[in-house]
Amino acid sequence: MTVQTVPSKLPRVNVYIDPDLKEKGEKLAKKRFRSLSNLLAWLLIQEVEKAEKDGEIENQE
């Protein structure tokens, strides 16, 4: 596995996940032509948008 450094001004978030889940996430990300980080960010966006729509959290816009 090659690690590439991409400059970003976005904040970093560290998570602990089961190794099997990480492996499956990497496979899914590869199939969708995304990095694992990008896939996780996209999934979080989907969940936050749903929570805002459902009134679970307040929309910050």
Side-chain angles (χ1 to χ4, degrees), residues 5 7-8 16-18 21 26 35-36 39 41 48-52 56 58:
T5 302
S8 176
Y16 295 96
I17 60 173
D18 181 82
L21 181 59
E26 288 171 338
S35 65
L36 180 57
L39 177 64
V48 167
E49 287 176 353
K50 182 180 181 299
E52 288 175 339
E56 189 175 351
E58 187 177 320

Side-chain angles (χ1 to χ4, degrees), residues 43-60:
L43 290 168
L44 183 57
I45 288 167
Q46 301 306 305
E47 285 299 309
V48 167
E49 287 176 353
K50 182 180 181 299
E52 288 175 339
K53 180 182 173 192
D54 295 345
E56 189 175 351
I57 60 174
E58 187 177 320
N59 189 335
Q60 298 296 319

Side-chain angles (χ1 to χ4, degrees), residues 16-31:
Y16 295 96
I17 60 173
D18 181 82
D20 291 334
L21 181 59
K22 180 179 181 274
E23 185 177 329
K24 289 176 183 179
E26 288 171 338
K27 288 178 183 178
L28 180 59
K30 185 175 181 180
K31 255 187 150 356

